[in-house]
Amino acid sequence: MSILNETVLKLNGELYEYVVLGVQDVNFSGEVLFKGYRIIWNTPKNLTTTGGQRIEFRIHKGSSVVESFVYWYIPFQLDSYCVSIYAKTLGLSEEKITFIFIHIEGKDLWMVLAKK
């Protein structure tokens, strides 16, 4: 993966637009505009004694919710060399977008991709 600028990256020879939802901390909530969609996610609740969280993502087009999904963040002990990647692809009426969550060496990256 090569970052070309703050909105475009190249992955396996394909160009993708992207937006970063968060870095290093899953205790967040927010809203972002991306490719004509408004993506909203809630403040996760601590559901387990180890800090497990339920994060609901809602994708809006105008005032309507067109798609939603729940991501369960279950922390567990990772050695410094382990990488954990979760991806969720949604086929929307006009676009296919992919949510990517990457954990490496105690840090997290949350982003959304769509083919350019």
Side-chain angles (χ1 to χ4, degrees):
M1 180 169 70
S2 302
I3 305 289
L4 303 181
N5 60 42
E6 64 275 358
T7 61
V8 178
L9 59 82
K10 191 174 199 177
L11 179 63
N12 293 331
E14 300 276 354
L15 290 180
Y16 291 86
E17 289 184 65
Y18 75 94
V19 63
V20 173
L21 304 179
V23 177
Q24 196 166 358
D25 188 2
V26 296
N27 293 308
F28 66 92
S29 62
E31 180 176 323
V32 68
L33 294 175
F34 182 65
K35 306 277 293 174
Y37 295 95
R38 195 170 88 240
I39 302 169
I40 299 172
W41 58 97
N42 68 335
T43 303
K45 294 183 174 91
N46 187 346
L47 298 174
T48 69
T49 57
T50 60
Q53 297 166 336
R54 178 187 186 276
I55 306 169
E56 182 180 3
F57 291 88
R58 293 183 316 280
I59 297 91
H60 294 253
K61 184 74 168 187
S63 61
S64 301
V65 175
V66 294
E67 184 64 82
S68 67
F69 74 97
V70 171
Y71 174 71
W72 292 92
Y73 181 82
I74 309 296
F76 52 93
Q77 182 65 41
L78 288 174
D79 293 325
S80 61
Y81 58 86
C82 289
V83 176
S84 174
I85 300 174
Y86 173 82
K88 172 76 174 175
T89 301
L90 301 176
L92 304 174
S93 60
E94 302 168 15
E95 198 79 51
K96 183 186 282 189
I97 62 175
T98 302
F99 288 75
I100 299 182
F101 310 105
I102 301 171
H103 174 94
I104 184 168
E105 294 182 6
K107 297 183 177 105
D108 298 301
L109 171 65
W110 306 69
M111 62 192 304
V112 180
L113 300 176
K115 271 197 178 174
K116 188 155 173 67

